[in-house]
Amino acid sequence: MRYFLISLACGVLSGVAYDVLYIVRRAIAGRWPRADKPLTYVSDGIYALVLAAMFIGSSAVFRFPDMRVYMVLACLLGAVLYVKSLHVILAFLINKWYNRPTKVVKR
């Protein structure tokens, strides 16, 4: 159970990395619209590498006995849980924090 929860937490933390990469991608794509598709491929590749590095690093730190299918599934489940819950909440809050000062400046 311990390894499952650690793998799940690894997946959730990888969602934070995905959000950071998304913000960087959007900032760059806003300046160069033609670069959006290649940036998406590059950022998704970086995300996959970050997720793999986090999983391998956590398995080394917490001394996982060996790689099991449920550990990989827990890691993916953690990423999906982040996207479906925390990501939505953070996107809403960031949108509110961004739009409120923007409306004040426009007035």
Side-chain angles (χ1 to χ4, degrees):
M1 185 66 151
R2 174 179 173 232
Y3 301 126
F4 179 82
L5 293 176
I6 292 169
S7 299
L8 189 73
C10 182
V12 170
L13 288 176
S14 75
V16 176
Y18 182 80
D19 275 346
V20 170
L21 288 169
Y22 179 78
I23 290 168
V24 170
R25 188 178 83 210
R26 287 279 116 215
I28 293 172
R31 294 184 182 169
W32 299 296
R34 289 185 177 180
D36 189 38
K37 208 161 206 64
L39 281 173
T40 300
Y41 295 139
V42 169
S43 66
D44 286 350
I46 292 171
Y47 171 71
L49 291 173
V50 167
L51 178 58
M54 287 176 67
F55 181 76
I56 292 169
S58 65
S59 66
V61 169
F62 293 106
R63 299 179 186 222
F64 289 1
D66 50 0
M67 179 115 132
R68 306 283 177 154
V69 174
Y70 75 87
M71 293 175 184
V72 175
L73 292 176
C75 198
L76 295 174
L77 177 65
V80 169
L81 287 175
Y82 176 82
V83 169
K84 294 296 182 183
S85 61
L86 292 174
H87 172 74
V88 174
I89 294 167
L90 287 176
F92 174 77
L93 291 174
I94 289 171
N95 191 21
K96 285 290 187 186
W97 291 334
Y98 173 77
N99 286 335
R100 184 170 290 145
T102 305
K103 288 179 183 178
V104 170
V105 170
K106 286 184 179 181
R107 289 183 187 170

